[in-house]
Amino acid sequence: MWNSILLAFFRFAASGWVPARWFEPHLPPEERRAAKTGHLKLEVVSHCWNYSHFLVYQLSSLVLFPPSKLDVTMTVFYSPEDTKTGELLAFFEKQEVPGVTWNWQPIPKQQLFRRGIGRNKAALATQCDWVWFTDCDLMFREGTLDALAEALQGRRDALLFPSREHTTDLLAADNPMLQAGSAEPQVLDINTTSFTSRDISKATGPLQIAHGDVCRAVGYCRNIGLYQQPVESFAKCHEDRAFRWLLRSQGTPIDVPGVFRIRHVSKGRYTGNTARSKFRTKLRVWQSRWRDRKQGKGS
């Protein structure tokens, strides 16, 4: 009951009705953030639970399209109980990619189920100039990371996001793309003809690129205990909205081509009660179609 009250309060607060400084007074002002130039360091923070058939495409994109203008630390939070993800990570750990460092972070599944816990750990510990908080269904195609390196030169923004992404429609579990990802671990490319582009209006959960100095100073909702509390089933990611509130920014758009993301009907986190799972899946389909109609799709 108490957690429900807290959840309602912080969702209300993140709407802007409560001053963010009450919960995060140590956000460094812009003039105290480094305006780094040259060969930058980027940490990509992802997480995976029963999603190895998506993660394979994300990790493969780094192998197939390695960066040359920045160094990438690829951090993945996962649970050892998810053996398929563990096998996939073991395979990619053997792939030597110039400019890419693999960083696997095993944690108990109860911590993994609250995505903000891993993101907070990564934010506070990062040694990189920028951190891209994302999901494991997102890929960095040809030129993406090098274009990002150029866009980040000399910037002090607290939060950035790519102004456009390319996505699939909601794919069913038996889609060939997802079936291919479920095969033995391998470096796997993707057919991009089924993707369409869409404009992005704010730094949503998989598209949050935060300044390293900001991450080290404030973490990821570090002072909101509810969002650092382990749970027994996958929690909805309300902390993403709270993160933007605490940073006093919905993000600044930047032109970064080649950001691709797989959208899918079945959620690995929708487990447990069958009727509830089916309802949430149907709701997800309806919400996705409504957003598509509202935003429209680019060519």
PDB file of all heavy atoms in Angstrom, residues 110-134:
ATOM      1  N   GLN A 110      16.072  -9.918  -8.799  1.00  0.00           N
ATOM      2  CA  GLN A 110      15.200  -8.952  -8.135  1.00  0.00           C
ATOM      3  C   GLN A 110      15.715  -7.523  -8.340  1.00  0.00           C
ATOM      4  O   GLN A 110      14.939  -6.574  -8.373  1.00  0.00           O
ATOM      5  CB  GLN A 110      15.087  -9.264  -6.644  1.00  0.00           C
ATOM      6  CG  GLN A 110      14.323 -10.539  -6.318  1.00  0.00           C
ATOM      7  CD  GLN A 110      15.152 -11.794  -6.471  1.00  0.00           C
ATOM      8  OE1 GLN A 110      16.358 -11.730  -6.735  1.00  0.00           O
ATOM      9  NE2 GLN A 110      14.524 -12.946  -6.265  1.00  0.00           N
ATOM     10  N   GLN A 111      17.038  -7.361  -8.457  1.00  0.00           N
ATOM     11  CA  GLN A 111      17.594  -6.047  -8.780  1.00  0.00           C
ATOM     12  C   GLN A 111      17.437  -5.734 -10.263  1.00  0.00           C
ATOM     13  O   GLN A 111      17.163  -4.592 -10.641  1.00  0.00           O
ATOM     14  CB  GLN A 111      19.078  -5.990  -8.395  1.00  0.00           C
ATOM     15  CG  GLN A 111      19.341  -6.062  -6.898  1.00  0.00           C
ATOM     16  CD  GLN A 111      20.803  -5.867  -6.565  1.00  0.00           C
ATOM     17  OE1 GLN A 111      21.566  -5.274  -7.338  1.00  0.00           O
ATOM     18  NE2 GLN A 111      21.219  -6.357  -5.406  1.00  0.00           N
ATOM     19  N   LEU A 112      17.584  -6.745 -11.092  1.00  0.00           N
ATOM     20  CA  LEU A 112      17.420  -6.541 -12.525  1.00  0.00           C
ATOM     21  C   LEU A 112      15.999  -6.099 -12.865  1.00  0.00           C
ATOM     22  O   LEU A 112      15.784  -5.299 -13.776  1.00  0.00           O
ATOM     23  CB  LEU A 112      17.741  -7.839 -13.264  1.00  0.00           C
ATOM     24  CG  LEU A 112      17.840  -7.769 -14.783  1.00  0.00           C
ATOM     25  CD1 LEU A 112      19.081  -6.985 -15.199  1.00  0.00           C
ATOM     26  CD2 LEU A 112      17.883  -9.172 -15.388  1.00  0.00           C
ATOM     27  N   PHE A 113      15.026  -6.606 -12.110  1.00  0.00           N
ATOM     28  CA  PHE A 113      13.626  -6.307 -12.380  1.00  0.00           C
ATOM     29  C   PHE A 113      13.279  -4.843 -12.104  1.00  0.00           C
ATOM     30  O   PHE A 113      12.243  -4.365 -12.550  1.00  0.00           O
ATOM     31  CB  PHE A 113      12.709  -7.205 -11.549  1.00  0.00           C
ATOM     32  CG  PHE A 113      12.744  -8.656 -11.965  1.00  0.00           C
ATOM     33  CD1 PHE A 113      12.275  -9.644 -11.113  1.00  0.00           C
ATOM     34  CD2 PHE A 113      13.239  -9.037 -13.192  1.00  0.00           C
ATOM     35  CE1 PHE A 113      12.296 -10.971 -11.493  1.00  0.00           C
ATOM     36  CE2 PHE A 113      13.273 -10.371 -13.577  1.00  0.00           C
ATOM     37  CZ  PHE A 113      12.792 -11.347 -12.726  1.00  0.00           C
ATOM     38  N   ARG A 114      14.119  -4.143 -11.361  1.00  0.00           N
ATOM     39  CA  ARG A 114      13.968  -2.692 -11.187  1.00  0.00           C
ATOM     40  C   ARG A 114      15.096  -2.049 -11.989  1.00  0.00           C
ATOM     41  O   ARG A 114      16.216  -1.919 -11.508  1.00  0.00           O
ATOM     42  CB  ARG A 114      14.059  -2.311  -9.709  1.00  0.00           C
ATOM     43  CG  ARG A 114      13.916  -0.829  -9.463  1.00  0.00           C
ATOM     44  CD  ARG A 114      12.470  -0.368  -9.518  1.00  0.00           C
ATOM     45  NE  ARG A 114      11.757  -0.717  -8.286  1.00  0.00           N
ATOM     46  CZ  ARG A 114      10.475  -0.458  -8.065  1.00  0.00           C
ATOM     47  NH1 ARG A 114       9.777   0.178  -8.989  1.00  0.00           N
ATOM     48  NH2 ARG A 114       9.885  -0.825  -6.943  1.00  0.00           N
ATOM     49  N   ARG A 115      14.805  -1.667 -13.222  1.00  0.00           N
ATOM     50  CA  ARG A 115      15.865  -1.243 -14.138  1.00  0.00           C
ATOM     51  C   ARG A 115      16.692  -0.088 -13.598  1.00  0.00           C
ATOM     52  O   ARG A 115      17.884   0.032 -13.885  1.00  0.00           O
ATOM     53  CB  ARG A 115      15.265  -0.878 -15.492  1.00  0.00           C
ATOM     54  CG  ARG A 115      16.312  -0.688 -16.570  1.00  0.00           C
ATOM     55  CD  ARG A 115      15.684  -0.423 -17.919  1.00  0.00           C
ATOM     56  NE  ARG A 115      14.911   0.814 -17.921  1.00  0.00           N
ATOM     57  CZ  ARG A 115      14.304   1.294 -18.999  1.00  0.00           C
ATOM     58  NH1 ARG A 115      14.345   0.621 -20.122  1.00  0.00           N
ATOM     59  NH2 ARG A 115      13.628   2.424 -18.945  1.00  0.00           N
ATOM     60  N   GLY A 116      16.077   0.768 -12.789  1.00  0.00           N
ATOM     61  CA  GLY A 116      16.791   1.917 -12.255  1.00  0.00           C
ATOM     62  C   GLY A 116      17.959   1.547 -11.362  1.00  0.00           C
ATOM     63  O   GLY A 116      18.886   2.345 -11.194  1.00  0.00           O
ATOM     64  N   ILE A 117      17.945   0.345 -10.780  1.00  0.00           N
ATOM     65  CA  ILE A 117      19.043  -0.064  -9.899  1.00  0.00           C
ATOM     66  C   ILE A 117      20.332  -0.195 -10.691  1.00  0.00           C
ATOM     67  O   ILE A 117      21.381   0.361 -10.330  1.00  0.00           O
ATOM     68  CB  ILE A 117      18.695  -1.375  -9.175  1.00  0.00           C
ATOM     69  CG1 ILE A 117      17.530  -1.146  -8.210  1.00  0.00           C
ATOM     70  CG2 ILE A 117      19.917  -1.919  -8.430  1.00  0.00           C
ATOM     71  CD1 ILE A 117      17.060  -2.407  -7.490  1.00  0.00           C
ATOM     72  N   GLY A 118      20.287  -0.943 -11.794  1.00  0.00           N
ATOM     73  CA  GLY A 118      21.477  -1.091 -12.622  1.00  0.00           C
ATOM     74  C   GLY A 118      21.918   0.226 -13.226  1.00  0.00           C
ATOM     75  O   GLY A 118      23.120   0.532 -13.265  1.00  0.00           O
ATOM     76  N   ARG A 119      20.954   1.004 -13.695  1.00  0.00           N
ATOM     77  CA  ARG A 119      21.309   2.294 -14.285  1.00  0.00           C
ATOM     78  C   ARG A 119      21.981   3.197 -13.257  1.00  0.00           C
ATOM     79  O   ARG A 119      22.923   3.936 -13.575  1.00  0.00           O
ATOM     80  CB  ARG A 119      20.062   2.966 -14.865  1.00  0.00           C
ATOM     81  CG  ARG A 119      19.553   2.286 -16.130  1.00  0.00           C
ATOM     82  CD  ARG A 119      18.464   3.086 -16.818  1.00  0.00           C
ATOM     83  NE  ARG A 119      18.153   2.527 -18.134  1.00  0.00           N
ATOM     84  CZ  ARG A 119      17.435   3.126 -19.072  1.00  0.00           C
ATOM     85  NH1 ARG A 119      16.932   4.326 -18.838  1.00  0.00           N
ATOM     86  NH2 ARG A 119      17.214   2.549 -20.238  1.00  0.00           N
ATOM     87  N   ASN A 120      21.509   3.160 -12.022  1.00  0.00           N
ATOM     88  CA  ASN A 120      22.119   3.981 -10.980  1.00  0.00           C
ATOM     89  C   ASN A 120      23.542   3.522 -10.681  1.00  0.00           C
ATOM     90  O   ASN A 120      24.451   4.344 -10.529  1.00  0.00           O
ATOM     91  CB  ASN A 120      21.258   3.932  -9.713  1.00  0.00           C
ATOM     92  CG  ASN A 120      21.755   4.872  -8.644  1.00  0.00           C
ATOM     93  OD1 ASN A 120      21.946   6.061  -8.875  1.00  0.00           O
ATOM     94  ND2 ASN A 120      22.001   4.337  -7.450  1.00  0.00           N
ATOM     95  N   LYS A 121      23.751   2.212 -10.592  1.00  0.00           N
ATOM     96  CA  LYS A 121      25.096   1.674 -10.358  1.00  0.00           C
ATOM     97  C   LYS A 121      26.045   2.133 -11.461  1.00  0.00           C
ATOM     98  O   LYS A 121      27.173   2.574 -11.192  1.00  0.00           O
ATOM     99  CB  LYS A 121      25.047   0.140 -10.312  1.00  0.00           C
ATOM    100  CG  LYS A 121      24.374  -0.467  -9.087  1.00  0.00           C
ATOM    101  CD  LYS A 121      24.324  -1.986  -9.230  1.00  0.00           C
ATOM    102  CE  LYS A 121      23.612  -2.656  -8.069  1.00  0.00           C
ATOM    103  NZ  LYS A 121      24.427  -2.636  -6.845  1.00  0.00           N
ATOM    104  N   ALA A 122      25.584   2.011 -12.695  1.00  0.00           N
ATOM    105  CA  ALA A 122      26.435   2.387 -13.824  1.00  0.00           C
ATOM    106  C   ALA A 122      26.720   3.884 -13.834  1.00  0.00           C
ATOM    107  O   ALA A 122      27.854   4.309 -14.084  1.00  0.00           O
ATOM    108  CB  ALA A 122      25.771   1.957 -15.129  1.00  0.00           C
ATOM    109  N   ALA A 123      25.701   4.684 -13.569  1.00  0.00           N
ATOM    110  CA  ALA A 123      25.872   6.141 -13.598  1.00  0.00           C
ATOM    111  C   ALA A 123      26.897   6.610 -12.575  1.00  0.00           C
ATOM    112  O   ALA A 123      27.779   7.417 -12.885  1.00  0.00           O
ATOM    113  CB  ALA A 123      24.525   6.822 -13.349  1.00  0.00           C
ATOM    114  N   LEU A 124      26.790   6.104 -11.371  1.00  0.00           N
ATOM    115  CA  LEU A 124      27.694   6.539 -10.306  1.00  0.00           C
ATOM    116  C   LEU A 124      29.132   6.061 -10.537  1.00  0.00           C
ATOM    117  O   LEU A 124      30.077   6.714 -10.111  1.00  0.00           O
ATOM    118  CB  LEU A 124      27.188   6.035  -8.952  1.00  0.00           C
ATOM    119  CG  LEU A 124      25.866   6.634  -8.476  1.00  0.00           C
ATOM    120  CD1 LEU A 124      25.395   5.939  -7.202  1.00  0.00           C
ATOM    121  CD2 LEU A 124      25.998   8.141  -8.232  1.00  0.00           C
ATOM    122  N   ALA A 125      29.291   4.921 -11.210  1.00  0.00           N
ATOM    123  CA  ALA A 125      30.613   4.320 -11.373  1.00  0.00           C
ATOM    124  C   ALA A 125      31.281   4.674 -12.696  1.00  0.00           C
ATOM    125  O   ALA A 125      32.468   4.395 -12.876  1.00  0.00           O
ATOM    126  CB  ALA A 125      30.509   2.796 -11.258  1.00  0.00           C
ATOM    127  N   THR A 126      30.551   5.285 -13.639  1.00  0.00           N
ATOM    128  CA  THR A 126      31.104   5.480 -14.978  1.00  0.00           C
ATOM    129  C   THR A 126      32.361   6.345 -14.970  1.00  0.00           C
ATOM    130  O   THR A 126      32.484   7.283 -14.176  1.00  0.00           O
ATOM    131  CB  THR A 126      30.055   6.087 -15.925  1.00  0.00           C
ATOM    132  OG1 THR A 126      30.558   6.009 -17.263  1.00  0.00           O
ATOM    133  CG2 THR A 126      29.754   7.548 -15.575  1.00  0.00           C
ATOM    134  N   GLN A 127      33.268   6.015 -15.862  1.00  0.00           N
ATOM    135  CA  GLN A 127      34.461   6.832 -16.069  1.00  0.00           C
ATOM    136  C   GLN A 127      34.445   7.463 -17.455  1.00  0.00           C
ATOM    137  O   GLN A 127      35.465   7.986 -17.916  1.00  0.00           O
ATOM    138  CB  GLN A 127      35.715   5.959 -15.894  1.00  0.00           C
ATOM    139  CG  GLN A 127      35.847   5.368 -14.498  1.00  0.00           C
ATOM    140  CD  GLN A 127      37.101   4.520 -14.336  1.00  0.00           C
ATOM    141  OE1 GLN A 127      38.079   4.679 -15.065  1.00  0.00           O
ATOM    142  NE2 GLN A 127      37.076   3.624 -13.380  1.00  0.00           N
ATOM    143  N   CYS A 128      33.290   7.420 -18.089  1.00  0.00           N
ATOM    144  CA  CYS A 128      33.171   7.904 -19.462  1.00  0.00           C
ATOM    145  C   CYS A 128      32.666   9.348 -19.508  1.00  0.00           C
ATOM    146  O   CYS A 128      32.135   9.872 -18.532  1.00  0.00           O
ATOM    147  CB  CYS A 128      32.242   6.988 -20.254  1.00  0.00           C
ATOM    148  SG  CYS A 128      32.951   5.339 -20.515  1.00  0.00           S
ATOM    149  N   ASP A 129      32.828   9.943 -20.670  1.00  0.00           N
ATOM    150  CA  ASP A 129      32.399  11.331 -20.870  1.00  0.00           C
ATOM    151  C   ASP A 129      30.884  11.436 -21.000  1.00  0.00           C
ATOM    152  O   ASP A 129      30.290  12.442 -20.602  1.00  0.00           O
ATOM    153  CB  ASP A 129      33.060  11.900 -22.129  1.00  0.00           C
ATOM    154  CG  ASP A 129      34.575  11.784 -22.086  1.00  0.00           C
ATOM    155  OD1 ASP A 129      35.173  12.206 -21.077  1.00  0.00           O
ATOM    156  OD2 ASP A 129      35.153  11.258 -23.059  1.00  0.00           O
ATOM    157  N   TRP A 130      30.270  10.393 -21.595  1.00  0.00           N
ATOM    158  CA  TRP A 130      28.825  10.357 -21.789  1.00  0.00           C
ATOM    159  C   TRP A 130      28.319   8.949 -21.533  1.00  0.00           C
ATOM    160  O   TRP A 130      29.060   7.980 -21.694  1.00  0.00           O
ATOM    161  CB  TRP A 130      28.459  10.789 -23.219  1.00  0.00           C
ATOM    162  CG  TRP A 130      28.764  12.221 -23.506  1.00  0.00           C
ATOM    163  CD1 TRP A 130      29.953  12.740 -23.949  1.00  0.00           C
ATOM    164  CD2 TRP A 130      27.880  13.341 -23.335  1.00  0.00           C
ATOM    165  NE1 TRP A 130      29.858  14.105 -24.063  1.00  0.00           N
ATOM    166  CE2 TRP A 130      28.597  14.502 -23.709  1.00  0.00           C
ATOM    167  CE3 TRP A 130      26.551  13.468 -22.929  1.00  0.00           C
ATOM    168  CZ2 TRP A 130      28.032  15.769 -23.665  1.00  0.00           C
ATOM    169  CZ3 TRP A 130      25.975  14.727 -22.897  1.00  0.00           C
ATOM    170  CH2 TRP A 130      26.711  15.865 -23.260  1.00  0.00           C
ATOM    171  N   VAL A 131      27.051   8.844 -21.137  1.00  0.00           N
ATOM    172  CA  VAL A 131      26.423   7.550 -20.898  1.00  0.00           C
ATOM    173  C   VAL A 131      25.119   7.482 -21.673  1.00  0.00           C
ATOM    174  O   VAL A 131      24.262   8.364 -21.538  1.00  0.00           O
ATOM    175  CB  VAL A 131      26.144   7.326 -19.391  1.00  0.00           C
ATOM    176  CG1 VAL A 131      25.470   5.972 -19.178  1.00  0.00           C
ATOM    177  CG2 VAL A 131      27.434   7.412 -18.587  1.00  0.00           C
ATOM    178  N   TRP A 132      24.977   6.439 -22.482  1.00  0.00           N
ATOM    179  CA  TRP A 132      23.741   6.213 -23.228  1.00  0.00           C
ATOM    180  C   TRP A 132      22.968   5.099 -22.525  1.00  0.00           C
ATOM    181  O   TRP A 132      23.340   3.934 -22.590  1.00  0.00           O
ATOM    182  CB  TRP A 132      24.040   5.831 -24.672  1.00  0.00           C
ATOM    183  CG  TRP A 132      22.823   5.739 -25.569  1.00  0.00           C
ATOM    184  CD1 TRP A 132      21.557   5.384 -25.202  1.00  0.00           C
ATOM    185  CD2 TRP A 132      22.766   6.014 -26.978  1.00  0.00           C
ATOM    186  NE1 TRP A 132      20.703   5.411 -26.276  1.00  0.00           N
ATOM    187  CE2 TRP A 132      21.424   5.799 -27.386  1.00  0.00           C
ATOM    188  CE3 TRP A 132      23.710   6.392 -27.923  1.00  0.00           C
ATOM    189  CZ2 TRP A 132      21.020   5.961 -28.705  1.00  0.00           C
ATOM    190  CZ3 TRP A 132      23.300   6.561 -29.237  1.00  0.00           C
ATOM    191  CH2 TRP A 132      21.975   6.349 -29.618  1.00  0.00           C
ATOM    192  N   PHE A 133      21.902   5.475 -21.832  1.00  0.00           N
ATOM    193  CA  PHE A 133      21.014   4.495 -21.205  1.00  0.00           C
ATOM    194  C   PHE A 133      20.037   4.003 -22.264  1.00  0.00           C
ATOM    195  O   PHE A 133      19.299   4.802 -22.865  1.00  0.00           O
ATOM    196  CB  PHE A 133      20.253   5.128 -20.040  1.00  0.00           C
ATOM    197  CG  PHE A 133      21.140   5.623 -18.934  1.00  0.00           C
ATOM    198  CD1 PHE A 133      21.409   6.978 -18.785  1.00  0.00           C
ATOM    199  CD2 PHE A 133      21.721   4.739 -18.040  1.00  0.00           C
ATOM    200  CE1 PHE A 133      22.220   7.445 -17.766  1.00  0.00           C
ATOM    201  CE2 PHE A 133      22.549   5.193 -17.017  1.00  0.00           C
ATOM    202  CZ  PHE A 133      22.798   6.546 -16.876  1.00  0.00           C
ATOM    203  N   THR A 134      20.022   2.689 -22.493  1.00  0.00           N
ATOM    204  CA  THR A 134      19.203   2.164 -23.565  1.00  0.00           C
ATOM    205  C   THR A 134      18.594   0.831 -23.178  1.00  0.00           C
ATOM    206  O   THR A 134      18.758   0.359 -22.051  1.00  0.00           O
ATOM    207  CB  THR A 134      20.032   2.049 -24.860  1.00  0.00           C
ATOM    208  OG1 THR A 134      19.161   1.793 -25.958  1.00  0.00           O
ATOM    209  CG2 THR A 134      21.068   0.940 -24.753  1.00  0.00           C
TER     210      THR A 134
END
